[in-house]
Amino acid sequence: MTIYYVNSTTGSDGNNGTNQTSAFATLSKVESLKLKPGDSVLLAKGSVFNEQFDIKYSGTESAPIKIGSYGTGSTPVIHSNGDGIHSLYASNIVIENLKISNIGGAGIYGGSVTNWTVRNVDIAKTGMSESAGAVTFRSSTNVTVESSKISDVKGDGFWIEKVAGVKLLNNTVTSANGSTADAVQMNDSSNILIKGNHLDQTDASSPKGVIALVRPTNAVVEDNVLTGGGFGISAQAGKTVAIRDNDISGFHGYSWSFAVGLGDQGNARDYDISGNHIHDGAWGVAVSGPIGASYTRTNIKVHDNTFDDLSQAALKVDRPASGSFYNNTIESGTTATSISPSITDAHTFTVSGNHTVANVETTLASADTKVAAATTTTEVAADAAVVAVHDNLKIFTDNGEAHRGNLLENDTSDNDTLVLRRFGDESVGKHGLTLTGDYGVIHVDREGNYAYTLDETKLPSHDGHVSESFSYGVDDGNSHHSDGDTLTVYIHMDGLVS
């Protein structure tokens, strides 16, 4: 098990590469080696490599080959006219703590690979030809991408095709651009977990959406924040799909825009859609399909979701389907269902136990309080922890005064102490912090109080709505436990602009 060091500034390909003072200079030198299981290739922080890195050899499950970084300073960067990191047939690979940017193809490309983990990798400005996803895996097995960031890329954020065993965990994708781009495009894959990600297509030039699952089998999409795009989750044909506990908003632009859609491109069977907060868009859950197609849609359960601020209905069923819509919460002013009369008469899609509330935010806050109280009662012996929950500010009218709220009201800490430490990319000092956003100015303090003042001169000159998001971080007062989430500001411009 050998560690090879690569330093683009002080290294030389005439060195042996086995310690920091005799580092290689190029990635091509590493490619000339026959890497063995357990070997590591570490790139010096501050280094810039203008070349594609090909991984040709495999590790083992107990001794993977690792690609990472060492030293102090800025994260090492890979630039390339081709892919950033490229591999065919290699197995048991770990890639971590790198930056890949200004790439002609994919940031990371793996074809027919097995047991890959990508973590804490920053990928930006890839796919100049729009022909590749920032992270692309094809015909592979057991791929995990976690705690990584993808931003301002042409093409999809993730392109996953024919992969058995996919985990996308706690990643951020912002602005996957292009005429056919989604934040996540996943085709003909199985055993899928998409969890804890923040996927934001609000400012993307793509007319498409956030997550496109094409013919998935055994998929779970949970605890994600999905914003913007023409749709939230399109899982049009698949089997055994669970979509739960996500915050889905800002999906609009088309008469058909939906938070969750299925049944349009093939048979859909055994879907469980539950616990989601679906808001600020057009349709909620759309069970639909092309006229004349003989697709089947069976055992579709839509329950325990919250719907508000939708221009269309919470549920649309306009093609033959079997399932149920029950125990959902719908804010007054949002239409509950739009179901074709023939389906209603056939009694194949039942509606029961749903309830209407005047204010969803109040209901959600009450539910969070009950959950926190129950957790405290049943888990007294658990370690102290901090849990941050996504926040929303909705602006329907404006008189020039600040719109106020508190980021910490729906967050929890086992020691009952919460402090706002970070907002955006900056620390929150004792006098608070003021940031200028896309459409206004926001001030926050350590207690979580915020005041957002809208700047109407920055709004587009049309009706509709826009949004912007601010990330934030909290801890328990002594920094032993921390968490983070996002405040999203929704601005309904009807009546605000002339």
Side-chain angles (χ1 to χ4, degrees), residues 144-342:
T144 298
V145 183
E146 59 186 353
S147 303
S148 293
K149 180 180 179 181
I150 297 172
S151 60
D152 195 22
V153 298
K154 292 186 178 180
D156 300 280
F158 289 93
W159 178 277
I160 309 292
E161 183 177 23
K162 296 181 179 178
V163 176
V166 184
K167 294 181 180 179
L168 305 182
L169 309 174
N170 303 315
N171 302 290
T172 300
V173 179
T174 306
S175 296
N177 299 292
S179 59
T180 62
D182 302 299
V184 176
Q185 172 85 38
M186 193 174 297
N187 299 344
D188 300 299
S189 297
S190 61
N191 299 326
I192 299 160
L193 176 61
I194 302 174
K195 181 175 182 178
N197 304 280
H198 184 194
L199 311 176
D200 189 350
Q201 287 290 80
T202 302
D203 297 321
S205 61
S206 169
K208 292 192 70 186
V210 183
I211 298 178
L213 298 179
V214 180
R215 296 174 294 275
T217 300
N218 297 330
V220 175
V221 183
E222 65 180 355
D223 293 324
N224 304 283
V225 176
L226 312 178
T227 309
F231 57 81
I233 302 172
S234 175
Q236 298 292 349
K239 55 185 178 180
T240 317
V241 176
I243 299 171
R244 59 198 184 208
D245 300 326
N246 303 284
D247 189 294
I248 310 173
S249 66
F251 46 94
H252 57 84
Y254 306 96
S255 60
W256 51 261
S257 289
F258 50 76
V260 179
L262 58 100
D264 201 338
Q265 298 174 5
N267 298 334
R269 187 183 76 201
D270 300 333
Y271 279 53
D272 187 274
I273 302 167
S274 61
N276 303 286
H277 183 196
I278 294 172
H279 57 107
D280 294 275
W283 298 96
V285 177
V287 183
S288 189
I291 296 174
S294 58
Y295 301 147
T296 60
R297 306 159 192 87
T298 57
N299 193 28
I300 312 301
K301 297 179 181 179
V302 183
H303 61 97
D304 297 288
N305 302 282
T306 300
F307 301 90
D308 63 289
D309 288 322
L310 301 180
S311 61
Q312 304 297 330
L315 173 71
K316 172 185 179 181
V317 185
D318 64 358
R319 298 292 183 270
S322 68
S324 52
F325 182 75
Y326 61 96
N327 289 349
N328 297 285
T329 299
I330 304 160
E331 189 171 73
S332 58
T334 294
T335 301
T337 63
S338 175
I339 302 176
S340 295
S342 60

Side-chain angles (χ1 to χ4, degrees), residues 17-62:
T18 55
N19 61 66
Q20 296 182 26
T21 58
S22 62
F24 296 137
T26 67
L27 301 177
S28 58
K29 177 61 179 180
V30 177
E31 292 173 12
S32 70
L33 305 174
K34 185 174 182 179
L35 296 176
K36 298 177 180 179
D39 285 353
S40 296
V41 177
L42 302 183
L43 312 185
K45 291 187 176 181
S47 287
V48 176
F49 300 95
N50 295 302
E51 54 184 320
Q52 178 175 297
F53 187 19
D54 289 332
I55 299 176
K56 303 176 182 179
Y57 299 100
S58 299
T60 63
E61 288 192 42
S62 60

Side-chain angles (χ1 to χ4, degrees), residues 2 137 317 385 394 441 469:
T2 304
F137 286 95
V317 185
K394 300 174 184 177
V441 176
S469 296

Side-chain angles (χ1 to χ4, degrees), residues 373-386:
T375 301
T376 301
T377 301
T378 58
E379 299 183 8
V380 173
D383 291 337
V386 169

